[in-house]
Amino acid sequence: QVQLVESGGGLVQAGGSLRLSCAASGRTFSSYAMGWFRQAPGKEREFVAAIISTRSTYYADAVEGRFTISRDNDKNTVYLQMNSLKPEDTAVYYCAARNLGSPAYTYRQQWSYYLWGQGTQVTVSS
């Protein structure tokens, strides 16, 4: 069973940057599509970004142009580079995995991901 472990969260001032990492155990990482979600206090968990292959990436409108998702299959790791951070980006960030063969139109749907990490806290101060 693949396990996902996020790291890289922390406290940063508005306008700053952070890079989140999600390391996956197991030898089948390349067979997964990966996503990042986040949950702010008092809000529902929401889609942030997804990567199917290195040329197929998707972003929520709120982070488009500021965040970049990437993956390194040799290191079994997916990254989320977050630039120009805003206080409204404050949340617990989760990485998730699903089968590559899942329908592309469902990449924003949490139910389509069946492996989840424990989350990492990102706090952006104003």
Side-chain angles (χ1 to χ4, degrees):
Q1 179 77 355
V2 174
Q3 291 186 324
L4 306 177
V5 179
E6 301 98 333
S7 61
L11 174 64
V12 64
Q13 288 188 332
S17 299
L18 281 175
R19 188 176 81 156
L20 305 183
S21 300
C22 174
S25 62
R27 294 179 287 181
T28 59
F29 178 73
S30 59
S31 67
Y32 293 99
M34 302 298 295
W36 285 97
F37 292 78
R38 66 186 181 186
Q39 186 168 19
K43 296 186 176 180
E44 294 186 352
R45 191 159 56 184
E46 63 178 5
F47 169 77
V48 175
I51 183 165
I52 313 304
S53 68
T54 55
R55 291 181 293 178
S56 296
T57 58
Y58 306 90
Y59 298 94
D61 290 345
V63 306
E64 181 82 53
R66 299 188 297 122
F67 290 11
T68 302
I69 189 170
S70 62
R71 66 190 296 164
D72 186 334
N73 288 342
D74 291 335
K75 295 183 178 180
N76 284 8
T77 301
V78 62
Y79 304 97
L80 186 68
Q81 177 66 45
M82 306 185 295
N83 299 328
S84 302
L85 282 161
K86 305 175 182 180
E88 50 264 43
D89 295 318
T90 295
V92 177
Y93 284 71
Y94 299 89
C95 71
R98 67 178 207 167
N99 289 331
L100 275 177
S102 300
Y105 67 87
T106 63
Y107 64 84
R108 294 175 179 267
Q109 307 303 322
Q110 297 181 50
W111 54 259
S112 70
Y113 296 80
Y114 61 89
L115 291 172
W116 291 84
Q118 82 289 350
T120 185
Q121 176 70 47
V122 171
T123 303
V124 184
S125 62
S126 57

